[in-house]
Each structure stands twice: as C-alpha cells, then as structure tokens.
Amino acid sequence: MAWQSVLMERHRTGDIIMLMPGHSPALNPFLPASEAERQLLDLLHEPLLRIDRQGNLGTALAEQWTWHQNMTCWFDSPTQVKQAAEAIAAQPAEKRASWDLEKVTADGSSLVLRFAHPGSKVADEVMAVVAMQKPQPLTMLRVSLTPNQRSTIESFAKHRDHLASTKRLWFDEDGSCELVTTRTIVQAQQAVMDWFRQSLMPVPEIRPLAELTALLEPVLDFRLKNTARWSTDEPVTAGDVMATVYFVMQRPWPLSGRDTFRQIQSITEPEKGHLHIVYRGRYSMALPAWTGLPILQASWLKKHAHDFETQLPPGAGAWKISHRAEDRLTLEKPAEPTMPKIQVLLNQPDWLQELGVLLRSYDLFWPSAEQLEQLKTQPAWRLLPAPPHSQLMLVWQTESSALKDLQVREALARALERESLRKLMPGGRARVHDSFFPPGLWFSETGAGKRYDLIEAEKRFTSAGFIRDVSGQWKKAGQPLHLRIITPAGNMDRQRLALALAASWMKFGISVQTLEVPPDRYVADLQNGQFDVAILGGELTPGWDVLPLWHSSQRQGRGLNISRVADPQLDLLLEALVAEFEPLQVPRRAAAVEARLAELRPALPLFTDVSEMAARQDRFLGLGEFDAARGITLRELLGSLQAQTRPTLKLEMLPPK
C-alpha cells in the first residue's frame, strides 16, 4: 500500500496507523519476538494483576487478592484431631485474638489452622499447643530423579502401602522432587529405595531436608472480576488460570517469575470466581509474578496444545483482533465503540520505512537506531521509551586480591564515564541505571550511583595505599594494580564493552586484561571466582527478591552470588525483604537493602535496555509527563488519545458585609 493511501485512510476513518517492524508477528503471548509485538500482546491478553502507570501493583483479571497461611498437622485418629481443635478453642480469648487465627478445620486425620497473615510470628506458640496432642512427626526428603524416574516416585506415592503416609509430593523442572511423609527418615529412605529396586530402576540419591511437626504453607486467594470475558464472550474462570499455569510450566519458555510458579503446591476453586493457591514455602515474590503471566482459555489450550505455535489464542484483553491479513491487523475495543481502531501494517516494503514516509504516513512506529537522532529534531513527534526488560552491571569479585579493598572498588566506579560506555550498547540504546532493583516500581529508588569523578577516584586510590609511578601506573608496595575482565566467547557486545572498560581504566593508570572464556567454562569460572570483573546481564522482573545475588549462603557455587560478598547485616536485610508479604511495607525494606549494597559495593549497576516508539503528538493529546525510567506501554499511550481537561470553576468575589 502506498503511503498516500495510508494517509488518506487515516484522515477518512480516524484510525490509528501503526507500522509493525519485521515480519508478520506470531503473537505467541509467551514469546514476543520484538518490543512492538510485546506491546500488541499486552493489548490482547490480561494477567491476574498489573503494574499500573504509577508503578504500583493493581488489578487486572482479578479484582482482589489476600494472603493467608495454613498450618497442617496430621494425627493417628480423628479423635486426636478433635482433641487438638478443642485444645486450641480452650485457650484464653485474648491469646487466640493475638494469634490472628481465622479458622480451624478438622479434615479426617488432619487439622488445618488458617492464619490471617503469612509468616505469622505466633506459629511456634500455636504449634506448642497442638504438640501437646502428639501429632505425627513429619519428614521432608529430597529425591534426585532423572526425568524417566518421575512416574516411579508417583506410583510410590499413590500405592496403598504408601498413600496414607505420603502427605506432599512436589516436583522441580529438573525432575527432582521433595517428599513429605509421616515416616521417620530411616523408614522413608528405606521405603523409597526398596520401591525403586522392585521397579528395576536405579536408586536415586535421597537426602533428608527437615523433620517437622506441621507444614506451614502460604495461601494466596484471588477473586476474579465477573466482567472478565474472553473474545468469545465466555467468562474467565479459575480453571483458565489453572490450565495456563500447568501449560506454561511444561514448556521451556523464558517465563518471568518461573521460580515462583514452581513453588505452587495446589490450585483449586472453592467457589465460582475464587482462586485458591497453596505454595510450598514462604516466598513473597509469588504475588508480583502474576503480573507477567497472560492468562489463556482452558478449552482453547486443550484443543490446541499440539499446534499452539501456529494458532492465535483468544485473549481476555480490552482490545480484540477484528481482521487479520498478510499485510494488516485490525484491532478494536468493543467496550468503547467510539475508540479509534488500530490498523497495524505488516510486511511493508523497505521504502515505506524511510523516515520521510514514516513521518507523513503513520501515527506510531518503532524507529531504527539511525532514525532516532533525526527524530529529536521533529517537534511534531515524541520518542517514548517502553518499559525496560533487562539490566547490565559490573560484578566485582570481592575476595580477589585486586578488589577486596572497598576503596579500590569505589575508585574504579568513579573512574568510569558511563555515558560514553552507554553509546557502545547495541544501537546505542541503553539508559544509565544506578539501582540494584528494577526502575519505576513502587518500591524502587533511583539508587546511590557513583558518578564519574577522576579527582575523587584518585583520592580513593591514595587512601587505599596506592601511588602513581613515573609512567602514571598505580602501584601499591611496588606492585601494579592488575584486573582481569572475563566475557563469554562469541558475545561481541560484551567483548566490545569489556574492551572499552579496559581502555578507560588503562588510561587512568590501571593494568587490565580482557579474557574471552569458552561458554562451557564461563559459568564455572564465575562460580569459582576466576575473575576480577565480570559483566553480568539479567532479566528485570516486578519482584523484589535479590537474595540469590547477594546472600552469603549463595556464594562459592551454591548460588548466584559470584561477587562472594558476605555480610551478616546484608543477609538479615535480604531475608526480611524476601519474607515480606505486604506490598506497602516492601519499599522500606528494599531501601534498607539498597543502602547496604551501596555501602558494600559488590557490583556497579550500569544500564537498562531501552526500546523507543515514536508517537505523533497531535494524536495523543492527553499524554503528559510519565516516569521515563519505567517507560510507558502502548496500552497507557492509547489511554491518552483525548486531552485531559480540568473542570471549569466560575469564581465570584463577594464584597465583605
């Protein structure tokens, strides 16, 4: 279609004309191929929760959520269960009120106590009362399985000889499982080993994890909106949510929050529109993880499980695809008939993507790196960053001889001019970001960045005992400071950045060596501390769990703490943050973690990624200021088609009487 025809159509219909870069999008809601496709999918599909325009946690398909905690004990007989429930009821009223105990349920040989808040500090006190009635002790085992051994342990748990004693069976993606049983450690290990031998299967490694009196399991309840409907006009149900989780977890897609979905023990629907999710352990990040999971229709998933990648699933979003062709998608918003349609043009020839044609023909497009600078001189157009999805940071190996001194790490950070480094990122599209948390969320701060300051860097080196020799090289006790920067072989972007880092530090008087490490050895070198500086990239998620990166328990190959920082105060702050279930309390705890990390400096945050869309100013008159660090979505942009007017007040001055 020639650009003149596109322009005439926009004037005739008032539709929003958007150019989609690249080929026709597959529109797989879990595998967007570009930022433009991600933004389109965001219009078509809905998660349970959303991050709103102010960066707060808000509703989407769910209108309400509440956290609780279950404590479950098992007894030898229903009589003991009844006695335990009576013992709880017999406690003084003021004590029971302080427990936040909402409900006590007897279910056969088990007693379930429901608390109003997860991680309740009174759990031990309540358990002491229950323990007087002699509940069955529990053993938790971890069984390291190969994928073809899963059916063997499942048949073990279902067999009549083991069904009564097996209380929980949880599987991880690698096939390993955790088993909770009322048998002792020795009895449980022997029973599992005998079962595998009888099944003529290799006996897996069986490791005891804990001995318990009761299981403490967080419970997340969602109430679905009764207005939530599919494009087929059928209501969204709890069954759709269950089917989506189970469908996605069986596929190796890069799902944000996958670790939290692994923690799900069960999903049930106690009543229509009510979703009841029980988790294996205390993990507060389970709530924001639901903002990144588009919910799909259970009946559609069942029908298209074998050809999912080639089909277009119905969505529950406000926008629907009303027409799809080789060269165009048409989206409309049925609930608002006056809302302009979106005409998404696909597979357009190269000449239609030249900047001059783009400016005359379209209302929205995603500019190339070459077009960005030219657009800055176009007052009729506005460049809008989309929310970032990844972050890059320099990780210092804090136990290395070169970097164990905090003053040295501070000096190296001060000696870097990050704005110049930013331009070396792919397409020059990156934003300097100082925080250890994602930008623009309700618990995020700007961070405590150490800006470029060579004078301050020299002071830090001098304080650390270094002096410059006649050649300008920094030395301490006659030995030059030498750094090793490692990057994975074949990653040209990382290698280019590493060379720029080396050049900057060498200009300052530091000896630097860049090493490309084969991919099969790179992770091992990071975990074994065989480096001084590493460039670490990671996906940004709306959660606040940074414990795996900085907790001392995650050092030396046991986790992702390749910096090897070990600080008891930081450990306590990280543990308190990850145990916080109340979103309004998260900012305070995240700020404490951020401050401590800024003091210890195990890493230097560098950049977040940036994808920008170009929007014609006169089509989005209601678009005002927004948090540039968090970015803006196409959904939010379309909400600003009309200018926001303030109510007019007629004021009349009255003379005093």
Side-chain angles (χ1 to χ4, degrees):
M1 178 184 294
W3 67 265
Q4 293 96 335
S5 301
V6 177
L7 188 60
M8 288 174 59
E9 180 161 351
R10 185 177 71 234
H11 286 166
R12 178 174 56 82
T13 64
D15 291 351
I16 297 167
I17 309 297
M18 183 176 92
L19 178 66
M20 189 81 170
H23 302 291
S24 295
L27 294 178
N28 180 330
F30 306 110
L31 287 174
S34 66
E35 184 58 35
E37 185 175 351
R38 188 194 306 273
Q39 295 298 328
L40 273 185
L41 289 166
D42 187 49
L43 299 179
L44 300 172
H45 298 282
E46 286 282 348
L48 287 179
L49 303 175
R50 277 193 176 277
I51 302 296
D52 66 21
R53 191 166 179 174
Q54 287 70 46
N56 297 316
L57 202 58
T59 63
L61 291 178
E63 65 181 0
Q64 183 184 31
W65 71 83
T66 52
W67 276 111
H68 302 277
Q69 180 170 270
N70 283 353
M71 176 190 291
T72 308
C73 309
W74 285 268
F75 294 84
D76 292 329
S77 68
T79 300
Q80 286 180 295
V81 174
K82 182 180 179 182
Q83 291 172 345
E86 291 172 348
I88 293 291
Q91 298 301 306
E94 60 273 13
K95 177 182 286 189
R96 285 187 283 113
S98 70
W99 285 349
D100 275 339
L101 185 59
E102 293 184 328
K103 190 177 181 180
V104 179
T105 304
D107 183 12
S109 62
S110 68
L111 183 70
V112 182
L113 294 85
R114 179 182 171 101
F115 296 90
H117 304 289
S120 176
K121 295 179 180 179
V122 302
D124 290 342
E125 187 177 338
V126 178
M127 201 174 294
V129 175
V130 176
M132 298 294 290
Q133 309 306 315
K134 301 190 183 313
Q136 294 176 332
L138 301 172
T139 298
M140 185 181 294
L141 300 176
R142 183 165 186 84
V143 186
S144 299
L145 303 169
T146 59
N148 63 342
Q149 289 179 310
R150 174 167 177 158
S151 60
T152 305
I153 197 70
E154 286 177 326
S155 62
F156 168 87
K158 294 175 182 176
H159 193 270
R160 64 178 181 272
D161 292 342
H162 310 295
L163 180 62
S165 61
T166 303
K167 301 306 180 185
R168 296 284 190 271
L169 183 62
W170 303 314
F171 287 95
D172 289 333
E173 283 183 312
D174 63 0
S176 297
C177 72
E178 291 180 6
L179 179 75
V180 178
T181 173
T182 53
R183 290 180 166 134
T184 66
I185 290 177
V186 174
Q187 290 172 340
Q189 287 178 314
Q190 190 63 51
V192 173
M193 288 190 294
D194 289 346
W195 184 264
F196 273 87
R197 291 192 183 106
Q198 293 169 13
S199 304
L200 303 180
M201 295 289 287
V203 176
E205 179 188 359
I206 305 168
R207 181 163 54 91
L209 295 180
E211 292 182 288
L212 311 167
T213 301
L215 277 182
L216 293 175
E217 298 167 310
V219 178
L220 181 56
D221 288 297
F222 287 109
R223 179 71 62 182
L224 299 180
K225 291 179 179 176
N226 55 21
T227 56
R229 308 190 79 80
W230 298 107
S231 55
T232 56
D233 204 37
E234 298 172 272
V236 177
T237 68
D240 296 322
V241 180
M242 289 185 255
T244 301
V245 172
Y246 294 135
F247 180 82
V248 174
M249 292 303 289
Q250 293 171 7
R251 286 157 176 79
W253 292 334
L255 177 66
S256 174
R258 180 177 287 273
D259 286 344
T260 68
F261 295 117
R262 287 195 192 103
Q263 299 292 322
I264 293 176
Q265 160 65 19
S266 65
I267 303 177
T268 57
E269 187 179 14
E271 58 185 76
K272 186 177 179 181
H274 179 193
L275 195 65
H276 186 75
I277 306 169
V278 179
Y279 288 87
R280 290 159 55 172
R282 290 173 57 186
Y283 195 62
S284 60
M285 252 51 60
L287 185 61
W290 289 101
T291 64
L293 181 69
I295 304 303
L296 298 186
Q297 194 173 26
S299 58
W300 189 93
L301 287 172
K302 183 177 180 180
K303 184 178 179 181
H304 293 282
H306 64 288
D307 61 354
F308 179 87
E309 285 80 5
T310 62
Q311 300 297 317
L312 183 63
W319 291 84
K320 317 293 181 187
I321 294 179
S322 58
H323 175 75
R324 189 178 191 185
E326 184 66 24
D327 66 343
R328 178 182 303 220
L329 287 174
T330 302
L331 279 70
E332 55 184 279
K333 197 172 183 180
E336 299 182 36
T338 60
M339 174 70 77
K341 295 179 183 179
I342 305 174
Q343 301 290 347
V344 184
L345 298 173
L346 312 169
N347 304 320
Q348 299 300 299
D350 291 342
W351 69 270
L352 269 177
Q353 302 187 39
E354 295 175 1
L355 185 61
V357 178
L358 291 170
L359 297 180
R360 292 191 295 271
S361 308
Y362 302 104
D363 300 306
L364 279 172
F365 66 92
W366 273 259
S368 66
E370 295 75 22
Q371 294 167 342
L372 283 173
E373 288 301 317
Q374 300 174 55
L375 276 166
K376 292 176 181 178
T377 64
Q378 299 289 331
W381 286 80
R382 187 168 179 181
L383 286 172
L384 304 172
H389 303 291
S390 62
Q391 181 180 12
L392 207 62
M393 65 175 68
L394 295 183
V395 179
W396 316 116
Q397 209 284 67
T398 59
E399 289 184 348
S400 77
S401 58
L403 295 173
K404 60 185 177 182
D405 191 326
L406 174 60
Q407 297 269 35
V408 173
R409 303 199 296 271
E410 290 274 16
L412 291 171
R414 296 280 193 171
L416 284 179
E417 210 286 281
R418 283 183 289 170
E419 184 57 31
S420 298
L421 297 174
R422 181 190 66 78
K423 297 175 182 177
L424 297 173
M425 301 302 293
R429 303 168 95 168
R431 178 181 286 112
V432 174
H433 180 60
D434 291 321
S435 175
F436 292 89
F437 292 98
L441 299 180
W442 77 97
F443 60 87
S444 303
E445 294 186 350
T446 56
K450 301 300 183 185
R451 296 300 185 181
Y452 180 58
D453 188 337
L454 288 181
I455 295 177
E456 185 63 31
E458 291 199 7
K459 289 180 180 178
R460 299 281 182 172
F461 270 127
T462 303
S463 297
F466 285 86
I467 58 173
R468 286 188 187 272
D469 65 11
V470 292
S471 67
Q473 184 82 18
W474 287 102
K475 290 184 176 180
K476 184 176 183 179
Q479 297 298 314
L481 178 64
H482 179 76
L483 300 177
R484 293 164 300 158
I485 307 176
I486 67 170
T487 61
N491 190 323
M492 298 305 296
D493 292 331
R494 298 283 176 88
Q495 179 65 9
R496 185 166 55 249
L497 181 57
L499 291 173
L501 289 168
S504 180
W505 281 327
M506 286 191 290
K507 185 178 179 181
F508 186 61
I510 301 166
S511 172
V512 185
Q513 179 185 17
T514 62
L515 300 171
E516 285 191 89
V517 181
D520 59 347
R521 209 184 76 211
Y522 181 69
V523 174
D525 280 5
L526 290 177
Q527 301 243 340
N528 294 329
Q530 301 299 309
F531 70 99
D532 295 312
V533 184
I535 305 170
L536 188 69
E539 292 297 309
L540 291 169
T541 66
W544 49 84
D545 182 13
V546 294
L547 183 147
L549 293 173
W550 314 118
H551 197 279
S552 61
S553 66
Q554 305 297 303
R555 301 164 64 242
Q556 298 176 331
R558 296 189 297 271
L560 299 176
N561 183 0
I562 63 171
S563 74
R564 302 198 168 196
V565 64
D567 179 68
Q569 181 182 345
L570 177 61
D571 287 350
L572 292 174
L573 293 172
L574 290 166
E575 291 162 10
L577 176 60
V578 80
E580 182 55 72
F581 284 83
E582 174 50 62
L584 293 179
Q585 296 301 320
V586 170
R588 173 176 59 87
R589 296 197 184 279
V593 170
E594 183 89 72
R596 189 59 182 161
L597 285 170
E599 292 174 7
L600 298 172
R601 282 292 158 190
L604 174 65
L606 292 177
F607 316 113
T608 57
D609 64 307
V610 178
S611 293
E612 292 174 292
M613 52 184 165
R616 188 183 295 274
Q617 297 252 37
D618 60 7
R619 290 309 307 270
F620 305 98
L621 298 174
L623 181 63
E625 296 302 317
F626 58 90
D627 186 345
R630 193 184 77 82
I632 187 170
T633 65
L634 181 57
R635 168 189 294 268
E636 295 165 349
L637 179 62
L638 292 170
S640 63
L641 283 169
Q642 302 297 325
Q644 304 297 313
T645 58
R646 295 183 179 181
T648 302
L649 298 178
K650 185 177 181 180
L651 302 177
E652 182 179 1
M653 182 176 291
L654 299 176
K657 294 181 180 179

